[in-house]
Amino acid sequence: MQVEEEEYVPCFSEVDKLQNYGINAADLTKLKSAGLCTVLGVLMTTKKDLISIKGLSEAKVEKILEAAQKHESASFMTGIELQGKRQQVFRLTTGSSALDNLLGGGIESSAITEAFGEFRSGKTQIALTLCITAQMPKTSGGGMGKVAYIDTEGTFRPERIAQIASRFNLNPEAVLENILYARAYTVEHQFQLLTLIAAKMTEEPFALLVVDSIMALFRVDYSGRGELSERQQVLGKMLSRIMKISEQYNIVVYITNQVMADPGGGVSFVPDPKKPIGGHVLAHASTTRLYLRKGRGEQRICKIFDSPCLPEGEATFQIGPGGVEEASE
Ligand code: ATP
Ligand code: MG
């Protein structure tokens, strides 16, 4: 299935719109090369960070910010206006209705959803299934858009995508064609990929960004205890950038995370002491946190760990040839 261009109405203003407010094309190119491709993206960036973009003086930045504020009328809005804005938010089906129900209808766009759990708990399988549902029409619980996939662990498998696509009666080739995949090797690389993807999202409709996993490279690149505070600072920056991407383009962001082997320093008597890594920085950035664990056989249990609007609860699903499926019982 192709993502149909004619149905695509962008939900954001391209940064080029600032030309109407007297910002010249050369300066707009500078913004875009720094990954700021939308007017909202500019507004979400501090003056300090804008001045650090090569070739932009303080005076220019002030002019740009003023133009951006005018364009977006960035100020207070009423609750009703916010409600109208929130109506663009969609929910992406996971492939299991039990899991969708737990999530209030699916994974919410314009937010970050984090899944953590032990190895083989299904984190990647959910990501792969979402790669297909993201491309389905909105009336079938899809996102009607393309997919960006940042893989830090090398576990993305095109043949698995093809297999899951056939379950949904979609053409595997067409589905793969709509996935932009990148393997990241360092934290810096992960940052660069986010900048590149933001530019792509301005050009074409996207529905999903996957980062599998968010923490793996941070763990490698900042290994010592002495590097922990720096690690958390850089992590905070990255998550803030991801959050801004999800809000600017109204896309679903699904990130996976690992669990700490022994959070209690060996003295924990809690029956299930598994905790996600990434500390408070990640805890605050993720809108919804899901804890996955293994059940009997191919069954997996998902528990809402933290959410602004979902009640605590659990759902059982199963991993099969078609990806995330209903638990059979
Ligand atoms: P890790 O922390 O190692 O990345 P994960 O949580 O990402 O683990 P997944 O890769 O999502 O784990 O899940 C792996 C499980 O998915 C396998 O143990 C297997 O049970 C199931 N699985 C993978 N491929 C298939 C398939 N083709 N058919 C059925 N089940 C599969
Ligand atoms: Mg995995």
Side-chain angles (χ1 to χ4, degrees):
M1 183 208 59
Q2 289 294 323
V3 174
E4 287 167 35
E5 297 288 335
E6 54 272 23
E7 283 195 28
Y8 177 50
V9 184
C11 54
F12 53 84
S13 298
E14 289 167 32
V15 81
D16 287 332
K17 289 262 157 50
L18 295 183
Q19 239 166 349
N20 303 339
Y21 300 84
I23 308 298
N24 68 48
D27 289 345
L28 294 174
T29 307
K30 285 169 201 156
L31 290 173
K32 284 186 272 186
S33 63
L36 300 171
C37 304
T38 70
V39 178
L40 193 55
V42 171
L43 279 180
M44 287 169 163
T45 310
T46 61
K47 203 162 157 186
K48 189 175 127 221
D49 284 344
L50 287 171
I51 293 171
S52 72
I53 297 173
K54 207 165 160 270
L56 292 185
S57 64
E58 189 169 348
K60 274 185 177 174
V61 164
E62 271 169 17
K63 222 177 124 201
I64 290 170
L65 279 173
E66 206 178 301
Q69 272 158 8
K70 264 191 212 149
H71 181 81
E72 288 283 326
S73 48
S75 188
F76 285 103
M77 61 175 99
T78 65
I80 290 289
E81 281 167 332
L82 177 62
Q83 201 178 34
K85 255 192 123 124
R86 290 278 310 165
Q87 270 163 10
Q88 290 186 351
V89 169
F90 64 92
R91 287 175 185 278
L92 189 57
T93 179
T94 58
S96 147
S97 58
L99 187 51
D100 287 351
N101 288 341
L102 178 74
L103 297 169
I107 300 189
E108 187 182 45
S109 70
S110 210
I112 298 179
T113 300
E114 171 198 349
F116 67 92
E118 275 184 289
F119 66 101
R120 288 163 58 99
S121 58
K123 305 181 292 290
T124 300
Q125 297 302 314
I126 292 180
L128 297 174
T129 310
L130 294 177
C131 285
I132 286 95
T133 61
Q135 302 186 34
M136 304 195 318
K138 291 211 167 135
T139 46
S140 326
M144 203 63 200
K146 297 195 176 201
V147 176
Y149 200 108
I150 299 179
D151 185 1
T152 67
E153 305 188 328
T155 51
F156 179 90
R157 293 285 175 276
E159 54 276 23
R160 192 70 185 112
I161 293 286
Q163 202 181 7
I164 303 171
S166 357
R167 164 198 168 188
F168 291 97
N169 297 318
L170 297 177
N171 178 331
E173 296 264 304
V175 165
L176 283 167
E177 194 66 49
N178 285 328
I179 300 173
L180 271 189
Y181 169 88
R183 174 89 162 90
Y185 292 99
T186 65
V187 168
E188 277 163 31
H189 190 194
Q190 202 166 316
F191 254 113
Q192 282 166 0
L193 291 171
L194 288 173
T195 306
L196 286 175
I197 209 61
K200 280 274 174 216
M201 286 178 178
T202 315
E203 293 163 10
E204 293 174 298
F206 274 77
L208 171 68
L209 167 66
V210 172
V211 185
D212 184 17
S213 75
I214 188 75
M215 291 301 299
L217 296 175
F218 280 94
R219 264 185 154 172
V220 178
D221 294 357
Y222 300 87
S223 48
R225 224 165 226 286
E227 290 181 302
L228 195 60
S229 80
E230 194 192 343
R231 181 190 94 171
Q232 290 304 90
Q233 211 179 344
V234 178
L235 175 65
K237 281 209 164 138
M238 178 168 296
L239 290 164
S240 148
R241 186 171 295 185
I242 292 176
M243 188 64 194
K244 287 168 186 170
I245 290 178
S246 84
E247 287 189 16
Q248 282 175 79
Y249 302 101
N250 187 31
I251 55 161
V252 170
V253 173
Y254 174 80
I255 63 178
T256 68
N257 191 12
Q258 298 150 326
V259 283
M260 248 182 274
D262 185 15
V267 291
S268 173
F269 297 104
V270 189
D272 196 358
K274 297 283 183 302
K275 265 191 158 180
I277 61 170
H280 292 298
V281 175
L282 189 49
H284 287 299
S286 300
T287 322
T288 301
R289 312 191 93 185
L290 306 174
Y291 171 42
L292 299 175
R293 63 177 201 274
K294 281 173 260 187
R296 270 188 295 117
E298 294 307 319
Q299 294 201 341
R300 299 291 185 273
I301 298 136
C302 174
K303 184 175 162 53
I304 305 268
F305 192 73
D306 189 11
S307 156
C309 55
L310 299 171
E312 278 190 24
E314 286 191 349
T316 304
F317 63 96
Q318 128 179 351
I319 303 172
V324 172
E325 299 175 351
E326 309 298 356
S328 60
E329 214 151 0

